[in-house]
Amino acid sequence: MYPDGEYSHEDNASVIFRPLKFRALEVKNRLFRSNISGMFDEYNGHGGNARLNWEEKFARGGVGCIISSFTPVAVRGRILVRYAMIDNDNKIPFWRAVGERVHAHDCRFIMQLSHSGRQQDFGGVENLYNKGLSSTSKSDYFHGLLSQAMTKPEIAEVIEQFAQGARRAREAGLDGVELHGANGYLITQFLSSGINDRTDEYGGNWEGRARFVLEIVRAIRREVGQDFHLQMKINGVDHNDWLYPWIPKGNTLDETIKICTLLLDGGKGVDAFHVSSGSTFPHPRNPPGDLPMRDLERCYDGMISQGTRTRFNYAIFTNPLGSRLFRHWWRWRRGKVIEGINLDYARAIADAIADIDPSIKVLCTGGFQHADKIAGAIRSGACDAVSMARPLIANNDLPKILARENGPEPRRECTYCNKCLINDLENPLGCYEPSRFDGDSFEERHQRMIAEVMSVFEPPAFH
């Protein structure tokens, strides 16, 4: 350590590339690929070749562990079509192939078990006449997506779907599972005081609202035992009022800490927490960054038939003044911090959990792409590792860069423009910021950008 308090790059790299040991899993470094993927698979939820290539390129780039994209445990729980699911045993062989491709690069693979609830952008023809299952019958406040409060038999059925998804992940040879309890999806809809309006044992105070996910955790442990890694992605704070200040804010940090403590379940529950924030997706704080209005105008039209507010939203996004005001509002509600935006939440959770069970680890997501920021977060005790998505889309080999330098050269950095996010509504997922690519003209940079986006569709070699 230098006298001015700064650490050398070698010091930072030694922190980042130190192995991380959970109770039932060891990862070679502190860099996790966060849950993100595109519509790379078959319409019926069977996996495709593009996803194999997609996951492998991050493993090849040097991350210690990949957290899969949103993986529905049932077709009723989709967010988008053409996302590989884990709703049936016939999906096991594909996920086994994914694991083998990733493991070949000494990288671990954790499946994110997920259910959309009411937050279903494109449910596909199978859900054409279904309202989203939820804790509430109120539609979501952003798109106006319709929902129905789940009955107790429906709750029991979904709990079992999560448990069987975990069993299938284990049978596929994967390294663990993550429950998606953040960012507005079904588990959030039960956890959040700003969404859950039930009056039975699955609603009310924080303990009642957490009953649903606690029963999921116990059902998973029943199926996979204690020696299979299980982690939980959770909002530090919901920020449910980002769009309309009069909407209930949702869970506070204190409530989240109590929920995390409950999910330890006396040493038989979760092994780690993955800290995020934001009770919708997208949300100004998740993923934190800009809102590309021209891309949103081009891609949001597919959402018009999905919710009761989507036509109104589209009118705002396509209006020059309306779109400008909405973008300013988005950036103001985000705040100034992007890289490490959730660290204060992660630190509070880590401190509270350490007093109960120091073996439990905490991951933090939020725009990380510089070694000093990552190492500083870990060194401070705010988290044990970080997860990244957009910076890895921008630079698939970011871990190798961080081993040599503090981060990518400035013109290669992720700009947090969120064009990748918006384009995924209609186009293959990838980096859509032309300025990051080489070329003497916009046309040349655009061509190189598209070539990179389409690279995951290269066919497998036939012998």
Side-chain angles (χ1 to χ4, degrees):
M1 182 176 178
Y2 295 110
D4 61 2
E6 293 183 357
Y7 290 83
S8 70
H9 178 69
E10 289 74 17
D11 293 331
N12 290 334
S14 69
V15 171
I16 294 170
F17 292 95
R18 186 171 67 240
L20 177 61
K21 186 171 180 57
F22 299 91
R23 290 192 294 200
L25 175 66
E26 185 167 339
V27 177
K28 68 182 179 182
N29 60 43
R30 306 303 177 99
L31 304 174
F32 286 59
R33 206 289 310 275
S34 190
N35 49 298
I36 193 166
S37 186
M39 292 187 281
F40 292 142
D41 304 299
E42 300 296 337
Y43 199 99
N44 62 0
H46 283 268
N49 177 67
R51 180 181 291 267
L52 290 169
N53 291 336
W54 171 263
E55 305 294 11
E56 186 178 21
K57 72 175 183 174
F58 297 106
R60 186 186 304 116
V63 294
C65 183
I66 290 172
I67 302 171
S68 79
S69 67
F70 185 108
T71 307
V73 296
V75 70
R76 191 77 181 269
R78 279 176 161 175
I79 48 169
L80 294 167
V81 297
R82 298 191 174 90
Y83 267 47
M85 299 194 295
I86 193 65
D87 63 319
N88 190 287
D89 284 4
N90 62 19
K91 309 296 196 306
I92 293 174
F94 170 74
W95 288 110
R96 183 177 294 118
V98 171
E100 290 170 353
R101 292 276 285 264
V102 169
H103 290 159
H105 301 276
D106 191 27
C107 180
R108 303 292 172 254
F109 192 89
I110 293 173
M111 174 177 284
Q112 188 185 76
L113 303 176
S114 310
H115 194 295
S116 63
R118 69 181 185 179
Q119 195 164 289
Q120 188 173 83
D121 296 338
F122 297 107
V125 294
E126 301 96 326
N127 291 309
L128 186 60
Y129 301 108
N130 291 330
K131 293 181 180 179
L133 296 174
S134 183
S135 65
T136 178
S137 293
K138 294 180 180 178
S139 61
D140 90 292
Y141 58 86
F142 189 13
H143 305 298
L145 301 172
L146 301 179
S147 68
Q148 63 185 58
M150 295 165 67
T151 64
K152 290 180 183 178
E154 287 171 334
I155 288 174
E157 180 181 20
V158 171
I159 288 170
E160 190 60 22
Q161 288 168 347
F162 274 97
Q164 294 307 314
R167 173 187 61 79
R168 293 174 186 126
R170 179 159 197 166
E171 290 184 14
L174 304 183
D175 300 292
V177 292
E178 174 176 278
L179 295 178
H180 199 340
N183 312 136
Y185 299 112
L186 180 62
I187 294 175
T188 309
Q189 291 160 37
F190 273 85
L191 288 176
S192 178
S193 63
I195 300 173
N196 187 338
D197 57 2
R198 302 179 73 94
T199 57
D200 62 9
E201 64 267 38
Y202 292 96
N205 63 19
W206 67 267
E207 197 165 5
R209 300 194 308 272
R211 180 184 295 272
F212 176 60
V213 69
L214 179 61
E215 291 183 0
I216 290 174
V217 168
R218 290 173 173 172
I220 287 175
R221 285 301 186 203
R222 181 199 74 216
E223 290 294 322
V224 303
Q226 294 296 317
D227 62 343
F228 189 61
H229 181 76
L230 169 59
Q231 65 185 44
M232 168 78 170
K233 189 171 188 181
I234 192 166
N235 292 336
V237 175
D238 283 344
H239 295 284
N240 202 41
D241 59 339
W242 73 268
L243 184 57
Y244 302 113
W246 57 86
I247 287 180
K249 294 181 179 182
N251 287 357
T252 64
L253 181 57
D254 181 62
E255 288 176 302
T256 297
I257 290 171
K258 290 177 180 177
I259 291 167
C260 290
T261 301
L262 181 71
L263 294 179
L264 297 179
D265 203 20
K268 298 180 180 179
V270 302
D271 300 305
F273 293 100
H274 183 188
V275 181
S276 183
S277 61
S279 63
T280 57
F281 190 85
H283 186 284
R285 295 180 60 89
N286 181 65
D290 209 343
L291 192 65
M293 300 309 298
R294 291 185 63 185
D295 293 76
L296 188 60
E297 177 182 346
R298 186 178 68 248
C299 297
Y300 192 79
D301 57 341
M303 287 287 298
I304 287 178
S305 63
Q306 303 301 310
T308 60
R309 292 186 51 82
T310 48
R311 290 185 182 276
F312 176 73
N313 291 346
Y314 187 68
I316 292 175
F317 300 154
T318 55
N319 179 276
L321 178 60
S323 65
R324 190 177 302 115
L325 291 174
F326 190 88
R327 183 181 180 217
H328 282 302
W329 178 263
W330 179 277
R331 296 171 74 177
W332 179 71
R333 296 296 280 176
R334 179 198 74 207
K336 295 181 179 180
V337 174
I338 293 179
E339 191 165 4
I341 191 172
N342 297 308
L343 275 176
D344 287 343
Y345 304 151
R347 181 178 292 105
I349 292 169
D351 288 346
I353 295 301
D355 291 337
I356 302 169
D357 188 343
S359 72
I360 304 301
K361 308 302 181 185
V362 173
L363 316 179
C364 185
T365 190
F368 292 101
Q369 64 175 328
H370 293 98
D372 57 349
K373 298 289 187 182
I374 297 169
I378 297 169
R379 193 181 285 117
S380 73
C383 60
D384 298 285
V386 303
S387 72
M388 307 169 289
R390 295 167 300 164
L392 284 168
I393 292 177
N395 293 285
N396 302 161
D397 62 343
L398 181 59
K400 296 179 180 178
I401 295 172
L402 295 176
R404 304 187 307 265
E405 307 288 345
N406 189 48
E409 57 181 295
R411 71 189 187 97
R412 300 291 192 190
E413 289 182 347
C414 173
T415 64
Y416 309 115
C417 66
N418 282 332
K419 292 178 182 177
C420 54
L421 162 70
I422 300 301
N423 272 276
D424 190 41
L425 287 172
E426 292 186 349
N427 302 313
L429 186 60
C431 180
Y432 283 87
E433 178 46 62
S435 66
R436 294 190 55 263
F437 294 84
D438 292 330
D440 295 328
S441 64
F442 173 81
E443 288 75 15
E444 289 181 5
R445 293 190 295 273
H446 184 265
Q447 288 175 0
R448 288 189 170 92
M449 179 188 78
I450 295 302
E452 173 62 26
V453 168
M454 299 302 293
S455 64
V456 295
F457 294 97
E458 294 177 0
F462 291 96
H463 302 285

